[in-house]
Amino acid sequence: MPKPPTRDLTQGPIGRTLLVFALPILAGNVLQSLNGSINAIWVGRYLGEAALTATANANNILFLLIGAVFGVGMAATILVAQAIGARNLAQAQRVMGTSATFFGGTSVLIALVGLPLSREILGWMGTPADALPLAETYLRTLFLAIPLLYLFAFVSAVLRGAGDTRTPFLFLLLVVVLDTALNPLLIFGLGPLPRMGIAGSAMATLVANALSFAALLAWLRYRRHPLWIGRAQWRLFVPDPAILRALVVKGIPMGVQMVMISLAMLMVMGMVNAQGVVTASAYGAALQLWTYVQMPAMAIGAACSSMAAQNVGAGRWDRVDGVARSGTLFNFLLTGALIAPLILLDRMALSLFLPEGSASLEAARHLNHIAVGSFLFFGVTFVLSGVVRATGAVVPPLVILGLALWGIRLPIAYGLQPVLGADAIWWSFPASALCAMLMSIAYYRFGRWRQARMLPPGESVATPAEVGGLPPAPVCTPAHATPTARRTEGAPAGAAVTIGP
């Protein structure tokens, strides 16, 4: 059977190519979030507010513990995309083998260390006493699933770096179908299946990911995917020192960024927990809505990173700037289209995650009105950070995030509580997101990210942009600029940079 082709993101209209490439990612995010929301409905409405609070606390911890490893996966995605853009399939396979070994081994280590420490970790973050036993049960089961969860996410991300978004979507659809079907069966028990309660929700996630990951590997082997490492190539799983060094040096800052987000989320969750179960469950319900609101930005940002990295590998710097402009525009259009109905219909939406007549409903509506608009700003930051990281510039986005979260969000959330009460927590979201966006735009325009490298010069698959004498690229093309004027010297006539499809 012939190998399925990878998608070339260095050709064609930028806006349309980006949108078509991003749609399966967005659809996958919708499926994943819908699955999480359905699970939250089962937990929140039938097991109670304490169980919903337990899952929110446990999921935040899970996100924290895999942050550093996830950064390695992001670095691998960029390296693969650059190699594909440079038409260097052998390099892409070397990256795949080295990063798979490192990523898999580290995720297993995290699971083994975290499993016996579940209760202590939950206690450190101030999980409410009535939710602690449920949260421990849920988290311990999730620790068993970590290697499967994140090896699946790793392979999916690397496939996207190669321009393949269809395959990850199809197997994520299988995860969602299995998880959705197994959740009520394992929570409540049916026939020979035991009644597991909240542990059943986590066990459904484990089983669904195990079956889907096995099916994904079997499919890649059967179709002889270009990134599949066969028996004769098993030596590629022996880590390559240069690639491993790049994964660690570039992956750690991106992993620290994920950890920094998680720590900030845990700090916010601790402040929310201090307000009591009513506020905590309101926040947990609002988080379900916010998961949907951030999906377009995350999908577009992920697509921008892969598309920009392929064009970096191909030396198409005119298209890299076009990716940033199109991604920013799509973020405002798609994210804004979600925010409006979720404000107007928030009572109906939030009631899905709370028991009937819950006192948390009005609190959830109030905090949602304040904080949900921050995702417009978040989306711009996510897009621009994805583009600049595609060259290997991973530290400045980390610094920007650190300033926004630890220099703005947490001080506002904590310091203004004596004046604003719980509202200080909610107002910290738009304040920090706006500042992060402004700093990201400034770095994109004036920073030296175009000269960054993922690998040392002797190992690089891409040539950095020589932009010393050029002005910083704008986020949006000025009204007077024409596609012809923006075309890079030597580029084909059809390679004009445009906004939109």
Side-chain angles (χ1 to χ4, degrees):
M1 182 172 292
K3 300 178 181 179
T6 55
R7 184 177 180 87
D8 185 357
L9 304 177
T10 66
Q11 304 294 329
I14 294 175
R16 181 162 58 238
T17 301
L18 176 62
L19 186 60
V20 170
F21 182 65
L23 283 178
I25 303 176
L26 177 58
N29 288 345
V30 171
L31 284 175
Q32 203 165 22
S33 297
L34 182 61
N35 179 46
S37 297
I38 292 173
N39 295 348
I41 291 173
W42 286 113
V43 172
R45 291 185 66 88
Y46 296 99
L47 299 181
E49 294 173 343
L52 182 62
T53 302
T55 58
N57 280 265
N59 286 330
N60 280 335
I61 293 171
L62 181 65
F63 188 70
L64 166 66
L65 293 176
I66 56 88
V69 177
F70 190 69
V72 175
M74 294 170 68
T77 301
I78 294 170
L79 284 169
V80 167
Q82 287 187 356
I84 293 296
R87 308 296 192 270
N88 192 340
L89 181 59
Q91 174 78 350
Q93 290 179 324
R94 286 196 295 272
V95 173
M96 184 75 173
T98 296
S99 54
T101 299
F102 182 85
F103 195 90
T106 307
S107 64
V108 169
L109 180 62
I110 288 176
L112 293 175
V113 172
L115 186 63
L117 297 176
S118 298
R119 190 175 188 87
E120 287 77 7
I121 295 171
L122 289 164
W124 292 338
M125 67 174 294
T127 303
D130 53 349
L132 183 58
L134 294 171
E136 181 187 6
T137 300
Y138 185 82
L139 182 59
R140 287 177 65 86
T141 308
L142 282 185
F143 268 123
L144 296 175
I146 281 181
L148 294 167
L149 286 167
Y150 292 102
L151 281 172
F152 184 93
F154 161 72
V155 174
S156 298
V158 171
L159 290 177
R160 286 194 291 266
D164 182 3
T165 55
R166 181 175 177 270
T167 299
F169 168 74
L170 292 175
F171 286 93
L172 181 59
L173 175 61
L174 179 60
V175 171
V176 171
V177 170
L178 291 174
D179 197 8
T180 301
L182 290 172
N183 239 271
L185 298 180
L186 295 178
I187 289 176
F188 304 110
L190 179 67
L193 298 176
R195 182 184 180 92
M196 300 179 65
I198 195 171
S201 181
M203 183 59 68
T205 299
L206 188 156
V207 173
N209 278 272
L211 295 176
S212 299
F213 183 58
L216 172 59
L217 294 181
W219 186 91
L220 292 175
R221 181 181 184 277
Y222 175 70
R223 294 295 302 271
R224 291 182 292 170
H225 193 279
L227 291 182
W228 173 255
I229 298 176
R231 186 180 307 172
Q233 300 170 299
W234 280 4
R235 66 186 183 280
L236 294 177
F237 286 113
V238 177
D240 180 286
I243 294 174
L244 183 60
R245 182 167 54 251
L247 291 174
V248 173
V249 171
K250 300 298 183 178
I252 285 179
M254 289 187 282
V256 170
Q257 185 167 336
M258 303 296 288
V259 172
M260 191 178 294
I261 293 172
S262 301
L263 287 173
M265 290 172 62
L266 293 178
M267 294 289 288
V268 170
M269 181 64 76
M271 296 182 206
V272 172
N273 287 337
Q275 303 288 326
V277 172
V278 170
T279 302
S281 59
Y283 181 61
L287 284 177
Q288 293 294 326
L289 290 187
W290 297 351
T291 298
Y292 288 99
V293 175
Q294 71 183 359
M295 282 191 302
M298 295 184 70
I300 295 168
C304 284
S305 186
S306 295
M307 188 170 176
Q310 280 202 19
N311 283 281
V312 168
R316 296 297 308 275
W317 291 92
D318 57 324
R319 290 179 64 86
V320 173
D321 291 332
V323 168
R325 291 192 298 273
S326 295
T328 300
L329 176 63
F330 287 142
N331 165 69
F332 278 113
L333 292 177
L334 298 179
T335 304
L338 282 180
I339 288 176
L342 287 181
I343 291 178
L344 296 174
L345 304 175
D346 62 341
R347 181 186 295 275
M348 180 189 307
L350 289 164
S351 64
L352 292 173
F353 311 110
L354 295 167
E356 187 174 349
S358 171
S360 300
L361 180 58
E362 289 305 316
R365 294 185 66 222
H366 174 71
L367 70 91
N368 181 62
H369 289 169
I370 294 173
V372 70
S374 63
F375 289 98
L376 279 174
F377 311 137
F378 158 82
V380 176
T381 300
F382 204 84
V383 167
L384 296 183
S385 295
V387 171
V388 303
R389 279 197 299 260
T391 66
V394 297
V395 174
L398 173 64
V399 174
I400 290 171
L401 182 70
L403 291 173
L405 292 181
W406 295 88
I408 298 171
R409 176 175 295 182
L410 293 178
I412 289 176
Y414 180 77
L416 294 184
Q417 282 192 52
V419 179
L420 299 178
D423 280 0
I425 303 174
W426 320 138
W427 281 111
S428 71
F429 283 83
S432 61
L434 175 61
C435 292
M437 181 187 73
L438 295 176
M439 288 186 285
S440 296
I441 291 174
Y443 178 68
Y444 183 87
R445 288 177 61 88
F446 304 114
R448 296 175 63 83
W449 57 272
R450 296 170 183 82
Q451 294 172 312
R453 298 173 185 265
M454 285 293 293
L455 289 169
E459 299 285 344
S460 181
V461 298
T463 302
E466 300 297 332
V467 295
L470 298 179
V475 175
C476 297
T477 304
H480 61 274
T482 64
T484 302
R486 299 272 307 157
R487 188 177 296 133
T488 296
E489 182 179 353
V497 177
T498 59
I499 297 178

